Structure formats: structure tokens, C-alpha cells
Amino acid sequence: MVTATRTAALAAREAMERLNAEAAPLHIWLRTQANAPAQRPWFRDTGLMASGRIAAGRVGAAQLKPMAHHWRWREIGPYLDRIAEVARNADVSPIEFAERQQFLLTNPGLGGRLQVTSTMRCAVSIYNPGDIAPVHIHTPNASRTILSENGGYTTIEGERCIAARGDLILTPNGTWHDHGNDGADPVIWIDVLDFPLMEFLDCVWLDEEYPGAKEGNVRAQPVTQSDGYSRRLYGKGGLVPAFAAERRGFGPGTSPLFHYRGADVRAGLDELRNEAGDPYEAVTLRFVNPATGAAVFPTLDYRAMMLRTGEETRYKRETSATLYQVIDGHGATQIAGQSFEWEKNDIFVVPGFVWRRHVNRGGDAVLYAISDRPLLDKIGQYRAQGRLPDDSVIELPVSA
Ligand SMILES: [Fe+2]
């Protein structure tokens, strides 16, 4: 009887599939399978290897899931030198036909898309002395983390920020910006943008028609603020000016401070080295909008974490995905049962839902961590769990 029922069901499915073939030009799909979600109830599966999977068949046809991945600087870094060499010898330099001189990181779980997570794009750029990325404005929020000692400059809303290694420069949604290198050595930085999210929402646009008369270099905007403007206004913890607008450019909810200096970040971490820190995040500082204390972008959160000599964090997992940049030191991050040994300038990604912990391998290590947690917070989807030393699992508070 059971077999007869099953045979009938399969015959019905075949009949449905035949109908599907016929109906496809009408852009409808007759359901022939359960709408199984890709994600298992991750919070119940306490095994260290627990992670999501792609749904089967037609339901999963367009699903993509980012994987944990590690880009080693010693493997990817040499391609910057090769790009720079092509540029130096070029009839038309790559920056002219590609607008940027960079490579983009592609997550092996995302089918070749130019993104490292569902929300983030990451590129590593090199600018030779004299190179300029022309002035433009766009809806994606973007940042650059400077890797070279000579950090070049970015001019944002009339403010020229001259950067050095470890600096974080923000170009929020709706701010005019241009970049360049007027130093003697090449400039290298890591770009991170919420571009894939904006693309998914179909709200990406980019404008290169800078308004008003151009003077001097037509590819750059005029500098209208004195050096250090945003840091002078907003760079003192706990104090913000009462007379200045808290929004620059037209993007609401973004930080009016554009330039966070690596030297200040490192000094801030050093000052906290004797504090207990957090069992899951060690000693961590958040880069925040100084006027509100919120994340610097509505979509992305930026943090700097110091792992002290011999420090090991506990396992944690959260629904947001995090991209890590190794600013200093070496160590390992264990992600869903895999160990990734990292060193200076390496980049790695921890997808949502998977267990991860960090291990210091000697000397201070500093990581910058960029996540889409603010976005998940806003849509009511942020959740995190921690693993205690006895392997029991606890729910972690979701505030900041
Ligand atoms: Fe840009």
C-alpha cells in the first residue's frame, strides 16, 4: 500500500514536471518540492562543525552561501607589484580603462561573484606615485584600510585626509570623494564596501559629474576644509561640537568623522591591555559615529581587536558575517573545525552561523573586523551564542 502510494506520488510529480516544462515560458513554477530553507536551526546544533547548507533542487537553484576563506598576503600581495608594473609600462594604464588598480576577493562559496559575503565587497588597491582616482559619489558605503606606510590621500566632502598604515578612511553613502598618491612610493590599501547589498536591493548608483566649476586638477574636488577638520571636530572622545551638522554628504546615519588614525587605534588598544577584555572578543575598540555612538555606517560595523600574547578567545557564533584584516602580529582563527593561520596583511572571512575563536601565536596581534551586524540588528535578525569552557552553549546579549 505504501509502495503504491509512493508510486502514485512520483507519477504525480512527473506529471507536474511535464506541466512545468510547458508553463516555464509564462514565468511560473508549479511546486514539486517542499520549500526547505537552506539554513538548519543553527542555534540548536551545538557541534563545532555546525554550519548551513544549500537547499536542494529548484528551491536552492539560486541560493549562495559564503564560505570561510583565508587570503594569504604572501600569495596575493605579489599581484599588486605585477599590476603596478603593468601600469608603469602601459600605453593606457589600468586605472584609465578599469577605473581602479586592484584585485577583488571572491568568496569560493559565491559562484564567482565579486563579493566576500552576502553584503560586502573587498578589494586590494595599489596606486603608483601620481595616480588619481577621479572625484565621484555613490550610494554604497565604503572604507579603506591603509596597509602601506605612505597612505596617499582621500579628499571627502572638501576635506583632504592624508593617511598612513593602519588608518581607516570612510567614504560614506552620498559623499563626494577622490583618492590619489602624491608621495614617492606606491600606496596600498584594502577597500571594503556594502556594494553587494546595495546591488541586491537595486539601489546602486554612481555619479562622476561633480557640481560647480572645476579648478586645477579637474579629476579632483577642491579642498575646502583645512587639514584635520573632522578629527578636530569629532576626534575627542566624549566631546562633539554643538555648532556643526552631524551629517556630511546626503547619506543619513553615517559618521561625520572620516579619518580614524591607526596610531590612535593602537594607542587606545595599548591603554586597555591590562583590562580583562571580553572572553569572545579580547580587547576590542569600536569605530563609531562620534555624534551618536552608533556604527559608522547603517549597514557595517568596524572594530579593532588586540589579542595579547598567549590569549585565546572562546568560541562564538553570530548571524552576521565578519571580514578580518590582520594589521599586526600572527595567530590562528578556528572556524567551523578548520584552522586558519594568519599573519600581517592577511584577510579572512567568517560567515554567519559558524563557530569561531581566535588564538594568539606570540606577541600582540591586531585585527580589524568589519561585519554586517548593524544591518542584521535593524531587521531584527542579529543573534549570537557563546561556548563555555565546559562546551555548554549560552545566548549572548545583543546590545553593541
Ligand atoms: Fe568611491
Side-chain angles (χ1 to χ4, degrees), residues 224-291:
T224 56
Q225 306 286 5
S226 53
D227 281 359
Y229 173 78
S230 72
R231 292 184 51 244
R232 197 160 56 249
L233 264 69
Y234 294 103
K236 294 177 187 66
L239 294 170
V240 293
F243 54 85
E246 290 175 3
R247 188 199 294 188
R248 301 170 72 190
F250 60 71
T254 60
S255 175
L257 176 62
F258 297 147
H259 187 184
Y260 299 74
R261 293 195 332 139
D264 295 341
V265 174
R266 188 58 188 257
L269 290 170
D270 279 337
E271 275 185 38
L272 297 172
R273 68 165 51 257
N274 293 323
E275 303 296 326
D278 181 89
Y280 304 98
E281 304 286 356
V283 172
T284 292
L285 287 171
R286 297 178 59 214
F287 296 86
V288 297
N289 176 334

Side-chain angles (χ1 to χ4, degrees), residues 100 136 138 142 144 171 177 179 193 206:
R100 298 287 179 274
H136 63 285
H138 44 67
R144 48 212 49 78
T171 50
H177 55 280
H179 322 285
L193 306 92
L206 182 147

